[in-house]
Every structure is written in C-alpha cells, then in structure tokens.
Amino acid sequence: MLSKLLTLTLVAATLTATPAEPAYDVLVFSKTAGFRHDAIPAGIQAVRDLGAANDFTVTATEDAGAFTDLAGYEAVVFLNTTGDVLDDTQQAAFQSYVDGGGGYVGVHSAADTEYDWAYYGRLVGAYFKNHPAIQPATVRTEDRAHPATAHLGPAWTRTDEWYNYRANPRASVHVLQSLDEATYSGGDMGGDHPITWCHPQERGRAFYTGLGHTIESYADPAFRNVLLGGIRYAAGVAQADCRPENGYSALYDGSTAGWSQAGPGGFAEADATLTSQGGLGLLWYSAEELGSYSLKLDWRVTGDSNSGVFVGFPASDDPWSAVNNGYEVQIDATDAPDRTTGSIYGFQAADLAARDAALNPPGSWNTYELLVEGERLRVYLNGVLINDFTSTDPRRSLRQGHVGIQNHGDADVVSFRDIRVKRLSATVEGEACTAGGGVRVVRRASAGGGATLGRLDDGDWAGYERLSAQGATAFTARVRTTGVGGTVEVRAGTRAGPLLGTVAVPGRGGRERYRDVTTTLTGSASGPVHLVFKGRRGELFELDSFTLRYAR
C-alpha cells in the first residue's frame, strides 16, 4: 500500500494540463475584511506558477474595483478572502459575469466571505462554521474523473486546517472530496463531510476546496494539481459532470464481484481502474438486471481506441449477444457519425456539436450518464445531453437487461472507473424468478409475457437473484385474483430476510380479472428481492408481474 501511495504522489507531481489548450486569463482576488491568512502570497505564487506552465495568464489584485469589468477573464479565484469584500455594484457585476458563463474558484476561507449575500452563499456552496487545530486527516476522493481530482487515489492523507460548515452542501453540489472524520479530531458534520466540490451556476461554473490554509499546501504538487484542475474546469477548458449526484450505489469501485467476462481478452485491474486488453469481449454486470435507471461511469481512451458501454441485453456468456440484443453507447474518437463517441452504435448519431463541446481529448477522463427510462435512452457526456434515443426495434428492449463494458481488441486501450447506478424502477414478470418453493408457471394468454406465477399456497416463495432490494421504496404487483386472496411479503436477501413491506391481495376477483396492489417499502436492507406468499388454505392468487420503485 505504501508503494502505491508513493507512486501516486510521484504521478501527481508530474501532472500538467492537456497540450494545445487555448490560452486564457485568470483573476486572483485575495481581499480580506476579517482574518488574513499568511499563506496568501504563497497561494498567489502557486497560481502564477501554474499559469506559466499551463498557458494561462494571472492577474492578482485586492482591488474590488476590478469586478466592474471582468469580461477579459475566464475564471476568478477567491483566494482566502474573508468578510464583506464587494459592494452592491461589484456584487451585481460578479453575478452577471458568472451567470453569463464565467468561472468561480473558491479556496479555503472563500467560504468565510460575504455572509449577507445570498447569491454568494449558493455560489460557494456552504459557509464556514468553525475549525479544530491544524492536524493530519484522510481525504476521500469521491470523483476520480474531475480534472481537479483525477490524479489522486481513493484516499489522501495530508495536514491542513479542516473547516466545518454551517450546512452540508451535498444536495446542491457535486462532491469531489470528503473528509473521513474518524481520522482526525474536531469534525462535527456527522460523518458526511464534503471538503471539495463543484456545480454549474446558470451558464457558468463554480469550484470550491476547503484545503489551502497552510503555506506548505501551496508547495505540494498534489494540491497544486487540485487548484489547476479547479481553475481549468471553472475556465471552461476542461469538462466535467458537476451536477449534484445522490442516491447512486457502486457496481465497480475496485472489486469485480458480480461481474462476468464474456468472450476473449478482458480487463486489467489496478488503482480501482479497469483497462481493456484483448478482444473482442464484454465485462458485464451479471449480478443484476436493471429496469429504469441512471448508469454513470468514468472512461479514458488512449489514442484512437475503440470501446463502448452496452445496455439492455439478456444474460449470456457470448459477447455477441449484447451486440445483437442490446444497445451500445460508443466510445471511439474517429468513425462514422453513428459509430463514434456518444452514438447509439448503428442506430443514432450523437449531437456532434454538443458532443465536441463536452468531450475531453484522449488521455483525459470523461463521464457518461446513461439514463434509461422505458424504451428511452439519454446519453450525457460530462453533464451535457448529447443523444436522446428511443428503441423501436422489436428484437431489443431497454425495459429490462444487463449492462457491460467492452474490450474491443489488442490495440484498443480504454480505461473505466467508478461504475455506479441509481435505480429508478424495475418491472419483472412473476415467472422470471431464479429460485422458489412451491410456485408454478401457469400459461395465461391474458398475462404479460404469456404466463403468471400461479397456484400459490401459504408459505410459497419466489426469489429474484438479479433484482436488488437496495434503495427500494415502493412495490406494486399485478395479480390475478381468482383464489381466496392473501398477502405478499417483500423481503431482502433471502425468503427469511428483513421484511421490507406487506401488501394484501383480495380474493375472488373474476376469471380473468387483474388488479394492481401497492405498498410502500421501508428499511435499508440490501441483497436480492424475495417474495413470500401467505394466506388461508387453498390457492391464493396468481402473480403476473411486479414493479419496484427506488429512491430518487
């Protein structure tokens, strides 16, 4: 582990911005009306050094009059500002600048600034509350694709002054780093302690880090690269998905548990990153089928490499099954419009102008969001919608299926990180259970899929190994009510696992009468969904299908 951390530090020290970026201009503002940090001169020099190495010019000032004309700057850095530093006219000019497309970077006590200006509070994300003594702490990297944090490993131990904030900003910002409160004394945010974040602000971009109190911070190559990435994002020369992100669970975060390789080749794994090798194959998430969901993942290509993300395909150890039965969201720097990055391969090209504006070049990390709702698939690249596709192919459906990442060939090198999902809903045919006791499949022409799970008696059960109970908040079952009726228990993990909810099913509803019954689900249990059927003696009812809805 120590050798890994040393390697990461050396890598961080050599990072530079991607070549051939356009030159741009940055204003560093360090006016104070309260406590004044002795690190300000070191901070200004650090930004000047970064500018000289990365082709942006730096103007440093404590004259708030500069805010009346910010048109020449792509980003403004509030470097350890404190107190009320702008008058009403300057505030209005700065708000117009950011909302019109400008960039804001806040460093450390930028959160101890302009308490009476509500717009600034939204821009910085959170206000300073207090801090303990300067001490070491572990910083957890939550986003390893953003240009400010892509050079860091999952954990980073450093010494600084660690701010507590008046409110947790997570709901309205995209958290890049958080503090592990168990590794130091004085954290009071209840264990969820964001420390670096970003967010869009109208047409502009905002970035803040609570790091940067000490003079030593500004000589640290890893922290300098945090600043560089924040400036590049705020200036609009590096792209990132900075929309707030909540409710996702990891499919891959360094462990391939639940994943299966189909076909030759595969993925090498190092530093919680998967890198393709050999081909043509597919690493697919076999543990679960997904219905409506948001899938996010970070990817990076080397040169003109080829890969893709597949969705909506059935379980199979043949990689061509995903090609022939699902949809591929392409990753390829050069190809025909319907076969290049952001396209639904062979079906629909991306909006190429929007794609090109959102795309980071080969060698840099990008983030996809694939939003699947029914037969609709929307593709977001670094937070920008670049494709909106609806499936009309009768041989394919997005309503239920697996997801996977492609290893295309020996010469294609594509890396993936941080594959995560937010489940929105999933609809499953009752007879699609992967385990059960006492249940039978009954053919019914009137049923969805042509069959039900029928002849259910008291104590019968059905398990759905590829359907997760994690985050489920509601259960709706379509039932055929010809028996005596009963109840459905929704359990997690096993048929005797935690009870999430129970719903009653009325009896004797007519020969072909179907009805929906619904209940809310509570608890935080995980594992596959199991249904247990209870009731009096005799056939209870038939289960046609059911839908789980998940927390948004």
Side-chain angles (χ1 to χ4, degrees):
M1 178 60 73
L2 180 58
S3 62
K4 278 189 176 181
L5 292 174
L6 290 173
T7 300
L8 285 174
T9 301
L10 290 172
V11 170
T14 60
L15 281 179
T16 58
T18 303
E21 285 181 352
Y24 55 100
D25 298 286
V26 172
L27 178 68
V28 177
F29 183 57
S30 55
K31 181 179 178 180
T32 56
F35 181 84
R36 186 167 182 86
H37 286 74
D38 60 3
I40 288 174
I44 293 172
Q45 188 58 50
V47 179
R48 289 192 189 279
D49 292 345
L50 291 171
N54 296 277
D55 204 22
F56 62 87
T57 63
V58 177
T59 300
T61 187
E62 297 197 357
D63 179 7
F67 281 75
T68 59
D69 184 10
L70 296 172
Y73 299 103
E74 277 68 37
V76 177
V77 180
F78 276 53
L79 178 66
N80 278 325
T81 53
T82 55
D84 187 0
V85 292
L86 301 178
D87 66 22
D88 290 348
T89 300
Q90 294 155 0
Q91 289 176 359
F94 186 50
Q95 178 173 344
S96 177
Y97 162 79
V98 175
D99 287 353
Y104 163 82
V105 174
V107 180
H108 192 57
S109 64
D112 189 24
T113 302
E114 294 290 352
Y115 288 97
D116 297 325
W117 183 21
Y119 175 83
Y120 185 83
R122 294 191 299 273
L123 186 66
V124 71
Y127 282 121
F128 164 76
K129 177 183 176 184
N130 56 41
H131 63 78
I134 295 172
Q135 60 190 298
T138 298
V139 183
R140 305 292 181 189
T141 309
E142 296 194 23
D143 184 328
R144 298 185 66 204
H146 193 282
T149 48
H151 63 290
L152 297 171
W156 180 27
T157 299
R158 67 185 310 276
T159 297
D160 214 319
E161 181 182 77
W162 305 113
Y163 276 9
N164 295 309
Y165 299 95
R166 296 185 179 185
N168 191 318
R170 187 178 292 274
S172 56
V173 303
H174 179 72
V175 177
L176 304 176
Q177 296 176 300
S178 56
L179 286 176
D180 185 342
E181 291 190 339
T183 64
Y184 73 104
S185 299
D188 71 358
M189 295 186 67
D192 181 17
H193 196 140
I195 196 67
T196 302
W197 56 77
C198 59
H199 66 94
Q201 176 59 44
E202 296 295 336
R203 292 170 54 201
R205 296 155 302 279
F207 172 89
Y208 170 81
T209 181
L211 284 60
H213 172 85
T214 66
I215 293 174
E216 293 79 9
S217 292
Y218 297 93
D220 177 1
F223 178 62
R224 282 192 169 205
N225 277 284
V226 171
L227 286 180
L228 175 61
I231 290 169
R232 292 176 64 226
Y233 164 73
V237 300
Q239 308 306 314
D241 188 350
C242 280
R243 296 172 299 165
E245 182 174 314
N246 298 288
Y248 286 80
S249 57
L251 299 186
Y252 172 77
D253 61 356
S255 169
T256 54
W259 292 81
S260 299
Q261 177 67 36
F267 287 84
E269 186 176 4
D271 190 28
T273 303
L274 295 166
T275 300
S276 63
Q277 58 186 14
L280 173 74
L282 186 77
L283 183 67
W284 60 289
Y285 192 64
S286 54
E288 182 182 353
E289 286 187 285
L290 298 171
S292 293
Y293 56 93
S294 167
L295 178 73
K296 286 192 174 184
L297 71 164
D298 305 328
W299 57 266
R300 180 182 64 190
V301 300
T302 299
D304 184 18
S305 291
N306 188 317
S307 185
V309 184
F310 282 84
V311 296
F313 58 91
S316 175
D317 60 4
D318 178 4
W320 289 102
S321 176
V323 175
N324 296 326
N325 298 292
Y327 290 101
E328 178 186 5
V329 181
Q330 179 72 336
I331 299 172
D332 187 350
T334 59
D335 208 328
D338 67 341
R339 298 183 178 189
T340 189
T341 298
S343 68
I344 313 301
Y345 187 91
F347 287 90
Q348 182 167 293
D351 178 333
L352 297 182
R355 189 278 310 276
D356 290 348
L359 181 64
N360 290 318
S364 302
W365 286 95
N366 290 276
T367 299
Y368 265 163
E369 180 190 9
L370 310 184
L371 179 59
V372 176
E373 294 181 289
E375 297 291 2
R376 186 181 184 188
L377 166 60
R378 280 170 282 181
V379 180
Y380 292 82
L381 174 63
N382 296 322
V384 176
L385 179 64
I386 62 168
N387 209 332
D388 191 341
F389 170 76
T390 299
S391 172
T392 58
D393 187 337
R395 299 169 301 170
R396 307 168 195 254
S397 177
L398 290 164
R399 293 186 179 278
Q400 198 76 19
H402 292 276
V403 300
I405 55 177
Q406 183 187 62
N407 50 285
H408 188 268
D410 289 330
D412 296 299
V413 181
V414 181
S415 298
F416 295 90
R417 281 178 174 173
D418 196 12
I419 305 174
R420 64 265 195 207
V421 69
K422 178 192 284 190
R423 301 165 185 88
L424 305 178
S425 69
T427 299
V428 179
E429 294 296 327
E431 67 274 14
C433 56
T434 54
V439 296
R440 304 182 192 179
V441 176
V442 178
R443 301 297 173 188
R444 299 283 186 197
S446 58
T452 66
L453 199 65
R455 301 182 184 176
L456 302 176
D457 295 316
D458 180 50
D460 290 352
W461 63 277
Y464 300 83
E465 292 295 327
R466 297 194 180 100
L467 183 64
S468 175
Q470 184 175 357
T473 59
F475 171 85
T476 299
R478 185 174 189 256
V479 294
R480 184 173 182 266
T481 58
T482 57
V484 298
T487 61
V488 182
E489 294 180 349
V490 183
R491 294 184 177 271
T494 69
R495 67 180 183 272
L499 179 65
L500 304 181
T502 300
V503 62
V505 179
R508 295 181 176 82
R511 183 173 180 182
E512 293 294 340
R513 182 176 179 184
Y514 293 86
R515 70 173 69 197
D516 289 340
V517 293
T518 298
T519 187
T520 57
L521 303 178
T522 59
S524 58
S526 60
V529 171
H530 284 71
L531 305 181
V532 180
F533 309 104
K534 295 292 186 71
R536 295 183 291 114
R537 174 177 293 185
E539 182 178 342
L540 305 178
F541 49 85
E542 295 180 6
L543 175 67
D544 181 13
S545 63
F546 66 93
T547 298
L548 287 182
R549 290 179 175 80
Y550 297 88
R552 292 276 177 165

